[in-house]
Amino acid sequence: MKDKVVAHVFSALRSALCAHIRNRLRRTISPTFNVMHLKHMLPPMHEEVQVLMAKLEEACDAKQEVDIHAMFTRLTLDIIGTTTEVSLHATQTQS
């Protein structure tokens, strides 16, 4: 009987702690991913995708093979750099 009570108490504490941590993380991350902020980030993201598309069209016209993984990596860095206003961007044009 005592073991069941102890197990129930620990289970309740664990649930409360998980809920507290989850709520704290949600409050921290929520402002970053609100609709208005995401809409604000779309045009710069679209511009970076257009750069990738131009590079792919050039390679296609020249019938060249491309390292798509490297291109997506550069695209990712450019999007992160552009949307966070960090000077990581323009890695697509450096190759």
Side-chain angles (χ1 to χ4, degrees):
M1 177 82 172
K2 184 178 178 182
D3 291 337
K4 287 184 180 182
V5 170
V6 170
H8 180 70
V9 168
F10 279 121
S11 176
L13 285 173
R14 187 182 69 205
S15 294
L17 181 61
C18 287
H20 173 72
I21 291 170
R22 183 175 51 248
N23 290 338
R24 192 177 78 217
L25 288 173
R26 188 178 306 133
R27 278 193 309 269
T28 302
I29 293 172
S30 246
T32 305
F33 294 104
N34 69 37
V35 174
M36 291 306 293
H37 187 70
L38 291 175
K39 284 182 179 179
H40 178 70
M41 290 190 319
L42 280 176
M45 292 169 73
H46 187 263
E47 288 176 22
E48 297 300 336
V49 171
Q50 293 297 64
V51 171
L52 173 67
M53 293 305 295
K55 289 275 191 184
L56 289 173
E57 286 175 5
E58 287 174 16
C60 186
D61 291 342
K63 299 192 185 308
Q64 295 176 332
E65 288 186 10
V66 296
D67 182 357
I68 197 70
H69 183 266
M71 293 179 96
F72 280 149
T73 300
R74 288 188 205 107
L75 172 66
T76 302
L77 286 173
D78 283 352
I79 288 175
I80 291 169
T82 301
T83 57
T84 60
E85 298 173 5
V86 176
S87 61
L88 296 173
H89 52 300
T91 61
Q92 293 184 81
T93 57
Q94 295 174 3
S95 62

